[in-house]
Each structure stands twice: as C-alpha cells, then as structure tokens.
Amino acid sequence: MLTIKSLTYLQHGTPLLENSNLQIFTDQRVGLVGKNGCGKSTLFRLIRGGINPDAGEINWQSGKTIAVVEQEIINSDQPAVAFVLDGDVELRQLEAVLARTEHDAAWFEAQHRFEAIGGYTAHSRAAQLLDGLGFAVADLEKTVNQFSGGWRMRLNLARALMHRADLLLLDEPTNHLDLEAILWLEQYLARYPGSLMVISHDREFLNACVNRIAHIDNRSIDLYSGNYDDFERARTERLMQHAQAYQQQQQQIAHMEDFVRRFRAKATKAKQAQSRIKALERLTRLAPAHTGNALFQLRIEAPERSPDVLLRVKNLSFGYGDSMLFQQVHFTLQAGGRIALLGTNGAGKSTLIKLLVGELEFVHGSLDWAPNIRVGYFAQHQLEHLNGKATPLEHLQRLAPTHAELELRSFLGRFGLGSDCENRSVAGFSGGEKSRLALALLAWQKPHILLLDEPTNHLDLEMRDALMLALEEYTGAVVLVSHDRSLVRAVADELWLVADGEVRSFDGDLEDYKNWLEVRRTPATPATGRIPAKTPPAATKANKKALLAKQVKLEAALAVAQNELEAANRKLADPVTYTNSSRAEVDRLSAIHAALAQKVMELEEDWLTLASMLEE
C-alpha cells in the first residue's frame, strides 16, 4: 500500500533520514518509535506530502486514502459533532448531492453510496466517538471555540477517526487523553478496518494496538514483527549478535594487520603479506554496536529523616462557584506511601494535587503538612513558567548558588541535559527537554514527597524507563497522576479512586479499574439489569449521580436513533421511493429501517432497565 525507498531528508544540511526504506501493507498496524528528535514526526510529514524528500521515493498504491490528526488548535464556530462529521469528506459531498430537489441519476447514485457507507448512522457514530473520548452529551452542540486547547485536540482526533481511510496516521494520540479515553481508544483501534501507523511513547498502548514496530535509529528505519515487547527482545538479541560479530571481526583484522607488520619486509612472506593487505582493503568493516541510548542516570534522593505522617486532610471541600467538586474529603499521607490517583476525566485528580500544593484554596476543612516538609511538585503547566531566556545551568544555579559549576553540570547530565544543552536558552527547548529540566530542578531539592501530575508527557521511552527506575529507588512518598500504566504499575503500592466528590482507596488493580470504567459506562446489562459479577467492590457503588448521567446519555442516543428511524419511515412511506428506485434499492432501505428499529428497541430497553435501577 505504501512504499518508501532510499529516502533521504536533510535538516539544516544534516541527514535526519538517510537511504531509509519501509513498506506498509494492508491491515498492518505499525508503531513508529525512536528517541526524541530522530525524525518520527518528520517521516509523517513526508508521507503526507507536507514536505518533500531530498532523495528517494514515497509511493502510494492507486486509490488509497490517508487520514491524519491535525496538530493545529483550530478556531471554529461549528458544533463539535458537525466538526467531527466533516472528517468524512465523502459523506459531506454525498449530503450536498442529496440536498438537491432534482432526483436525477446522480442523486440516486449518491443515495446508493450514502446508504453503503452508513450515512444514516453517521451522526450516531460521531456522537459515539466523542463519548469515547470523554465528551459529555451536552458538549455535542457546543462550538469548537468553547473548548480548551487539549479538548480541541481530542476533537481533531475524533475527526480523523471519522474519516474512513486506508491508512490512519496518529502522532502521540494519547498525550491529551486520560486513562479512560486511552482504554477506549485501544479498543476502537483494535477494530479499525484500515492500516495504522502510530507514534507513541506508551509501551502498553503500543502492545495493545500494533503488530509491527518501525524503529528509527542512526538515520535509518528497521522493521520488526510483533508489538513493542517483541521489538525490545528482538532488538536486544540483534545488538548482541552484532556486538559478537564486531568483536570477531576486530580480532580477525588485528591478526591480519599483525601478520603484515611482521612479514611485509621478508621476501619469503611478502606475497602472503600483500594478499592480506588486499583482503583488508576489500573487507566490509562492521561498525560498533550502536544502541542509540543516552546513559541517563536519574536519581531522586529523599531526606534521611522524615516524620511518620506527612499530611493530614480533614473535611476538605472544594468547588467552582456553586458546583462542589469535593465534599468532606479525609485522608492521611504517610512517609514512604506510594499512591496513584485514578478517576475519570474531570473527577478532580489534578485539582486535588493543586489543592495539596496550595495552587488552589479549599472552601472548608483543613490541610496540615508536617513542619519543614519539602514537597517536589511536577505538572505540565509548570513548563510554561520556566525562564525562556535562562539556560538549564542558570536555573539550577539559582537553587544552588554556592555549589561548583562542574557539580551542577554533572547533575544536569544525568537528566539528558549535558554536553552543550545546559548552555542553551530554555526558549528553544522541546517539550521533552523542558520536562527533563523541571524534573532535575525537583530532584535537586531532595523532597520528602513527590506530587507528580502526568510526568511522562513529552518524554520518550528511554527517558520514561529512566524515570521509572528512579522512582522505584526513591525512598520518599509519591502521589502520582498518570495515564502511563507501566509507570503506575512500577511505582504505586496503593490506588486511590477520585470519583463522585470523594477520595477513597480502590480495592483492586488496573485491570479491576478498567472493569470499573466499563461498568460506569454501562451500569446494567439489557438482558438482566444486573451489575456484572466480575467487578471490584468500588464498581458496585454506582450512585444516583452516575446513573442519572448514564440516563442522559441514553436519552440523547435514543433521540438520534429515533430521528434516523423517522427519516427511514418517511422514505418508505413516500410513493416516489418505489417509482424511482430499483427493487434492490428499496430492499436496502428496508434493511436499514429494520436495523434502526432494532437499535431503538435496544436503547429503550436499556433506558427502562436504568429507570428501574434509579427507582430502587
């Protein structure tokens, strides 16, 4: 479907990709990986045709289409659902034809195609995409301009998913998503009918979504079969084999060169020496095994002594205006506690962290830290407050004015900010470099507790692994908000659920939490109305507020399905349909009508079941 042959692309005169090759076939799902700055996003731009290669070819099979997620934050007065529907360009073109009053041959051809691509259910599919990505029913008719930048990026993602393409390109699709939306996206991509190429630094997401890994390293692209774990094993084995072959060749070269030195001047051995010289000239020399990995040595130290109780929270309440987000929250943070906060988008995980560090003021209650506690706080918005004119070294010197420059440079080097990096102004840094600097400044202070809100955003897999190891070895307390499941599994000993205005211990693991999310989306099964048995105790506490929210969603979906059914009814009741349509076209319309009628019936059953639960 897509063939990349001998591709070379220069960046500021230096090859970013050189003589690279890659083929993607139908139904392949390819994860594109490599350290930050290696050319992953550039390759996407080359595939899209946004930039041209300096050499080589990028060839598409005739008739194949591509869908991409736009990276710009778009301004639009369109309703969200209409914006998403625009992603299906053919659908919109057919709608324009069907809006004509003249029912000519082109009109009937458009109607046939409209039915074939599921045009009558397009609005429902767009609404389902938005629901899966965390939008509420009330958000569907809000204009794009009413959403924040992060939510507009979700709209861009939904719009790309709406496009029925042969190849879907996704560049870090999980960056703006919470765990709930990531789990939904994994399931959606598992059913995606086309091919997929995704850039991601989330190993669990890659493991769930891809069956090939394209690794950019040393300006070339190597393709591996399997998911990310398979790639790591295969690459490690390949590097070991290469290192062994390199060592063997070096021994062979050394032996031949030694022979030449010893016998070149001797008449009896001159011929053999010349033969070895020619053999050395013909020899294709192997390069040393190149891992492409910087030797990050992250270390976050905690103070030697710490009080047993770091923080006590009693009767804490907080809200925006008349809407309360938390009410009468109680908990205690112990020394050495390692907690990950779980909860759906908007439940208040990041807000809770901000309350703990004093960025927000609570309405009622008390929040008492032990005396002289040093809190290490990391959040993405902090990156915006770094001094763009200052270098990493200058940032660190402000924290440690009496320490030697060599010591500070060595410390920054552990966070990948060595070499000339510490002398560059932060304004020119990438998101990953700014994140590493923020983590370095945090680590220097040797905090008693780390409050980390999505610390791995913008970090590549290598740096994520280094941070994970550092947090595993850190002896202080940790409160973590992260959609990186590998990090949560490695770091957290306890899971706390932030939901329905409460903060409470979650009785289960991440798989149980996934079940909890599924139950929260669909509180009861249509057949029995019972909560599924395989759920953690926290999942069975579906309160009235959650059930009412589900009821609102069902009512909206039912209204859409009923409107579509009424439209099909009108077509079937119109004599013109039978006069101007073939028997096959009438049969197709009847089939669509039957499917919509079944959908309305199922939604009504779901609504009745939910109403019964609310009565109970």
Side-chain angles (χ1 to χ4, degrees):
M1 180 170 64
L2 172 66
T3 302
I4 297 173
K5 186 177 180 181
S6 303
L7 176 70
T8 295
Y9 180 78
L10 305 179
Q11 190 174 68
H12 308 301
T14 302
L16 185 63
L17 297 167
E18 189 172 22
N19 199 30
S20 297
N21 301 285
L22 179 66
Q23 278 189 300
I24 296 178
F25 299 99
T26 302
D27 296 329
Q28 280 192 342
R29 299 166 183 273
V30 181
L32 185 60
V33 303
K35 64 181 181 180
N36 283 342
C38 71
K40 300 185 295 294
S41 295
T42 299
L43 181 61
F44 269 22
R45 292 176 63 198
L46 287 162
I47 292 172
R48 294 179 58 181
I51 53 177
N52 297 316
D54 292 286
E57 301 175 353
I58 299 177
N59 296 317
W60 281 94
Q61 186 178 339
S62 178
K64 297 299 183 182
T65 57
I66 184 172
V68 298
V69 179
E70 298 298 336
Q71 298 301 309
E72 299 89 26
I73 297 178
I74 297 173
N75 291 313
S76 173
D77 291 326
Q78 275 186 298
V81 70
F83 176 79
V84 172
L85 281 165
D86 282 352
D88 193 333
V89 177
E90 184 185 11
L91 175 77
R92 290 307 205 191
Q93 291 171 342
L94 292 171
E95 286 178 337
V97 175
L98 293 175
R100 299 175 190 167
T101 56
E102 182 182 1
H103 292 186
D104 55 9
W107 189 93
F108 282 106
E109 184 179 344
Q111 184 188 47
H112 172 71
R113 179 61 181 162
F114 188 77
E115 293 171 357
I117 66 172
Y120 291 112
T121 59
H123 189 282
S124 291
R125 285 185 280 115
Q128 288 168 5
L129 287 173
L130 290 170
D131 177 64
L133 291 173
F135 291 84
V137 174
D139 293 333
L140 269 60
E141 297 303 323
K142 287 183 180 179
T143 65
V144 174
N145 289 339
Q146 290 180 269
F147 294 98
S148 66
W151 283 98
R152 289 193 216 179
M153 290 305 297
R154 292 195 190 204
L155 286 174
N156 286 349
L157 175 57
R159 184 174 171 136
L161 296 177
M162 193 69 195
H163 188 168
R164 292 167 295 100
D166 296 293
L167 176 63
L168 175 63
L169 298 183
L170 297 177
D171 190 346
E172 290 289 357
T174 62
N175 266 2
H176 301 280
L177 303 181
D178 56 12
L179 182 53
E180 180 183 19
I182 291 172
L183 292 169
W184 174 87
L185 183 60
E186 285 180 357
Q187 294 173 351
Y188 181 88
L189 293 178
R191 302 187 304 269
Y192 187 76
S195 297
L196 171 69
M197 194 170 185
V198 56
I199 298 171
S200 179
H201 297 302
D202 185 331
R203 66 175 63 237
E204 294 206 23
F205 181 76
L206 288 171
N207 282 338
C209 295
V210 307
N211 54 26
R212 299 285 189 281
I213 292 290
H215 180 225
I216 300 181
D217 181 49
N218 198 28
R219 303 182 300 279
S220 65
I221 305 173
D222 294 316
L223 189 65
Y224 295 78
S225 296
N227 60 23
Y228 189 82
D229 287 346
D230 296 327
F231 153 73
E232 279 198 320
R233 286 190 289 269
R235 176 162 164 74
T236 299
E237 184 177 346
R238 184 182 293 187
L239 287 171
M240 291 175 61
Q241 291 173 348
H242 182 93
Q244 185 178 7
Y246 173 78
Q247 290 298 328
Q248 290 175 347
Q249 188 184 66
Q250 290 301 301
Q251 292 174 4
Q252 179 187 5
I253 290 171
H255 179 74
M256 294 169 71
E257 288 176 341
D258 182 59
F259 185 93
V260 170
R261 281 193 303 271
R262 291 169 58 195
F263 300 115
R264 191 171 189 175
K266 292 187 177 181
T268 57
K269 297 288 186 179
K271 187 174 181 180
Q272 292 92 327
Q274 286 298 319
S275 175
R276 282 165 173 73
I277 290 173
K278 290 180 180 179
L280 285 168
E281 291 172 351
R282 292 193 302 268
L283 186 66
T284 301
R285 302 201 178 206
L286 298 175
H290 176 68
T291 64
N293 296 331
L295 295 176
F296 292 123
Q297 297 177 336
L298 271 63
R299 188 180 179 190
I300 304 176
E301 297 181 25
E304 292 183 2
R305 294 183 179 180
S306 174
D308 292 336
V309 177
L310 304 179
L311 173 68
R312 297 183 190 274
V313 173
K314 296 180 180 179
N315 296 322
L316 185 141
S317 297
F318 173 81
Y320 296 97
D322 296 331
S323 177
M324 296 303 293
L325 186 61
F326 294 118
Q327 290 190 344
Q328 296 185 336
V329 170
H330 304 263
F331 61 82
T332 300
L333 290 179
Q334 302 282 350
R338 309 175 71 80
I339 299 154
L341 301 181
L342 304 178
T344 59
N345 185 70
K349 301 184 296 297
S350 296
T351 299
L352 180 60
I353 296 288
K354 290 177 181 178
L355 286 167
L356 298 185
V357 297
E359 283 193 357
L360 295 174
E361 293 185 8
F362 49 89
V363 178
H364 300 293
S366 62
L367 194 158
D368 299 317
W369 285 99
N372 303 317
I373 291 296
R374 291 195 297 274
V375 177
Y377 173 46
F378 178 94
Q380 291 298 313
H381 70 269
Q382 290 181 301
L383 308 186
E384 301 170 6
H385 300 303
L386 293 170
N387 187 341
K389 296 180 180 178
T391 66
L393 182 59
E394 289 168 342
H395 277 87
L396 193 53
Q397 284 174 328
R398 289 170 188 167
L399 290 178
T402 61
H403 287 256
E405 182 176 314
L406 182 61
E407 180 186 1
L408 301 183
R409 288 181 183 274
S410 175
F411 185 83
L412 289 169
R414 298 177 190 170
F415 289 81
L417 299 170
S419 186
D420 296 327
C421 195
E422 69 264 35
N423 293 320
R424 290 165 43 211
S425 61
V426 169
F429 275 23
S430 66
E433 289 170 325
K434 289 179 180 178
S435 293
R436 296 204 300 270
L437 174 57
L439 288 168
L441 298 176
L442 174 155
W444 179 265
Q445 300 172 63
K446 296 183 178 179
H448 294 82
I449 183 171
L450 296 173
L451 303 180
L452 305 176
D453 190 355
E454 297 292 359
T456 59
N457 276 6
H458 305 298
L459 299 182
D460 58 24
L461 278 157
E462 176 191 351
M463 189 64 188
R464 287 186 181 206
D465 288 345
L467 177 61
M468 189 185 305
L469 290 172
L471 292 177
E472 285 180 323
E473 295 174 357
Y474 172 68
T475 58
V478 178
V479 178
L480 172 68
V481 176
S482 179
H483 63 246
D484 187 325
R485 284 158 288 173
S486 296
L487 185 68
V488 171
R489 293 182 205 278
V491 173
D493 295 330
E494 298 179 65
L495 299 178
W496 287 9
L497 182 64
V498 181
D500 307 321
E502 298 179 346
V503 180
R504 59 183 184 270
S505 178
F506 183 80
D507 184 14
D509 57 17
L510 285 179
E511 289 305 311
D512 295 319
Y513 177 64
K514 182 178 179 181
N515 293 335
W516 181 86
L517 290 171
E518 291 173 354
V519 171
R520 196 174 178 88
R521 274 188 182 277
T522 310
T525 59
T528 65
R530 297 173 185 162
I531 299 293
K534 191 180 178 181
T535 58
T540 65
K541 298 178 181 178
N543 62 10
K544 184 176 180 181
K545 182 179 177 181
L547 294 176
L548 285 171
K550 180 63 180 177
Q551 189 178 47
V552 170
K553 287 186 178 183
L554 278 176
E555 287 171 350
L558 182 58
V560 171
Q562 286 172 334
N563 288 337
E564 292 171 347
L565 180 60
E566 287 173 8
N569 277 331
R570 287 193 295 271
K571 282 184 176 292
L572 285 174
D574 188 350
V576 175
T577 299
Y578 301 92
T579 303
N580 297 335
S581 304
S582 68
R583 178 60 182 272
E585 289 169 342
V586 173
D587 289 343
R588 277 192 296 274
L589 182 56
S590 297
I592 291 170
H593 176 272
L596 288 170
Q598 178 67 23
K599 183 176 182 180
V600 167
M601 184 180 70
E602 291 174 354
L603 288 170
E604 287 175 342
E605 289 179 356
D606 289 352
W607 188 93
L608 289 170
T609 300
L610 200 58
S612 298
M613 293 182 68
L614 281 166
E615 288 177 5
E616 292 173 4

